[in-house]
Amino acid sequence: GGDPLRTHGKPLPDGVIARLAAQGSLPLPFYPSFVVGDDPSSGFEDGVATPRFSQGYYQLRNRLGMLVETHSWRDYPHRVKVTRNTIVALLELIAQNGMQWRQQVAAADARAAKLGGETVALDYKATAKTHTIAFRGYAYTRTPSEVSGALMTRYDESKPEVWQVPMRDEVVPDHVVAAPKAGYLVPAAHAAWVAAKLDQHGVSYRRLDSALPNANVEAFRADQSSFAAQSVEGHQRLTVSGAWKPETQDLVKGALFVPIAQPKARLAMALLEPQAPDALVAWGEFNAHFERKEYMEDYVAEEVAREMLRDPKVKADFERRVKDDAEFAKSPQARLEYFARRHSSWDSRYQLYPVLRTDRVPR
């Protein structure tokens, strides 16, 4: 799950930083975002951008990417000059390393096409491990704001000073999954719009010319799902937890097969793995599958429960849950749902992610 390009010596970022520093700039190798907003003493945390941002996207295509941000407090001519210097530095590095980088890109494409069954990181996080860095800042105070009442940081730009602050830059994989051995199966009901998304990203797939009855696949059933309270860019985002487990499913003609054996395998996983941070499901494209459509009225569930409790096995399991799970025991709805889920009227496809994984390439 590491850098798909495996560059040695970091010639791209280090080379740009060295050139900018020689020209009088004060470049940083990380995005200076405080761990605690507006509190300089909290220090900084490095990370890997998710693919909604360009510098996090291109690595999934096995290509180099870089975020360059000039500080908004600097005057416009200065920002133009530094941007120009950055572009020139990049072109110089491409002239020096371009052939080697093209070879590394080709090798990364070849490795990606062999990811089937291998462990892949879907996203990354910084650990709690810190070390102290010297950071150029200004003298500041943190006092209550007369506007908001919260602590506010006030900088004195007439007093530059060097801060000694913690830095968290040990970045490790967060969510890690094994890639499917063969690929993904997108049911025919979703094939048209998912195909359009795959086309946008250049991810390879093919439509199945015949049905796959009783297909041995892996299915993801969420044990927890949470809709975002507010929409983002017109989407209601969704977070799910769960695991892939073997199941038998029927697929009709017209389903999509997305092979893992392709150079854009990591990008395919970023789109189709339900726990990837910017997957299609994370952006709310499959929300209907995680919404309750049918309900059992409480008074009906009470009667159903009493009937089911006549079964000694159900009774023993229910009493164990009440005893061992405090949250379950104090929730009337959870207790009633325990029985509703066991009734024949329960929607077995609720919380089932419709995209499947397969270990075999379909014919």
Side-chain angles (χ1 to χ4, degrees):
D3 178 2
L5 291 182
R6 297 181 186 173
T7 54
H8 300 287
K10 298 181 180 179
L12 180 60
D14 288 356
V16 171
I17 286 172
R19 283 165 170 75
L20 292 178
Q23 293 169 324
S25 293
L26 302 174
L28 292 171
F30 62 92
Y31 189 88
S33 177
F34 295 134
V35 173
V36 178
D38 197 45
D39 184 1
S41 66
S42 67
F44 302 103
E45 177 181 286
D46 206 354
V48 177
T50 60
R52 77 185 74 170
F53 303 106
S54 60
Q55 75 272 23
Y57 176 79
Y58 280 101
Q59 64 175 342
L60 300 178
R61 300 178 68 106
N62 308 316
R63 298 298 184 267
L64 294 167
M66 177 185 289
L67 169 67
V68 179
E69 182 164 325
T70 56
H71 205 292
S72 59
W73 286 359
R74 299 307 297 265
D75 59 86
Y76 184 72
H78 181 89
R79 296 174 70 185
V80 170
K81 178 182 177 181
V82 172
T83 300
R84 175 264 178 200
N85 291 346
T86 303
I87 293 172
V88 171
L90 282 168
L91 292 174
E92 291 174 350
L93 288 165
I94 291 171
Q96 295 175 8
N97 301 280
M99 292 301 295
Q100 178 189 357
W101 289 349
R102 289 191 65 178
Q103 293 170 359
Q104 289 177 326
V105 161
D109 282 347
R111 289 196 303 273
K114 298 177 181 178
L115 276 180
E118 298 296 321
T119 299
V120 177
L122 299 179
D123 55 3
Y124 297 83
K125 63 180 179 181
T127 69
K129 183 178 180 181
T130 65
H131 62 97
T132 301
I133 64 169
F135 186 85
R136 296 180 179 90
Y138 296 103
Y140 66 90
T141 58
R142 281 179 56 77
T143 55
S145 166
E146 63 276 12
V147 177
S148 66
L151 282 179
M152 175 184 174
T153 303
R154 294 175 169 86
Y155 297 97
D156 186 347
E157 295 182 38
S158 67
K159 298 178 180 178
E161 66 179 29
V162 176
W163 302 338
Q164 298 295 322
V165 293
M167 176 69 185
R168 296 168 56 182
D169 57 4
E170 182 182 62
V171 179
V172 299
D174 191 2
H175 294 92
V176 177
V177 299
K181 292 181 180 179
Y184 297 92
L185 292 166
V186 180
H190 293 284
W193 73 265
V194 172
K197 289 290 185 183
L198 298 176
D199 288 340
Q200 287 177 339
H201 295 278
V203 175
S204 299
Y205 63 90
R206 63 179 171 87
R207 287 180 172 83
L208 301 186
D209 295 328
S210 58
L212 290 179
N214 299 315
N216 294 317
V217 296
E218 287 183 314
F220 185 97
R221 293 181 180 272
D223 50 40
Q224 288 186 334
S225 61
S226 176
F227 293 102
Q230 295 181 332
S231 66
V232 179
E233 298 180 7
H235 295 261
Q236 184 182 24
R237 285 180 56 85
L238 175 68
T239 302
V240 298
S241 64
W244 293 100
K245 295 179 181 179
E247 283 194 18
T248 300
Q249 295 276 351
D250 295 323
L251 289 106
V252 302
K253 176 183 176 180
L256 303 182
F257 171 61
V258 184
I260 201 68
Q262 61 174 300
K264 295 186 179 69
R266 295 178 189 274
L267 182 52
M269 293 185 69
L271 291 167
L272 298 176
E273 278 295 325
Q275 292 182 289
D278 286 326
L280 297 176
V281 69
W283 279 98
E285 301 293 352
F286 292 99
N287 279 359
H289 292 267
F290 299 88
E291 298 169 348
R292 287 283 296 274
K293 304 298 189 298
E294 300 292 340
Y295 293 86
M296 183 179 287
E297 297 289 349
D298 288 357
Y299 76 91
V300 177
E302 291 278 3
E303 290 187 17
V304 167
R306 282 164 176 74
E307 288 292 326
M308 289 185 177
L309 285 171
R310 293 178 181 179
D311 184 333
K313 291 183 178 179
V314 174
K315 186 174 187 296
D317 185 69
F318 176 70
E319 290 176 348
R320 179 190 59 79
R321 285 285 305 274
V322 172
K323 179 181 178 181
D324 297 343
D325 188 338
E327 291 297 318
F328 174 81
K330 69 182 182 182
S331 171
Q333 290 306 119
R335 291 167 69 141
L336 290 176
E337 188 173 296
Y338 172 92
F339 298 99
R341 283 178 175 269
R342 285 159 175 76
H343 194 264
S344 59
S345 65
W346 179 259
D347 181 4
S348 63
R349 301 186 73 82
Y350 170 56
Q351 303 271 48
L352 172 63
Y353 176 46
V355 176
L356 307 168
R357 303 190 349 162
T358 178
D359 290 345
R360 297 182 179 180
V361 175
R363 294 181 179 178

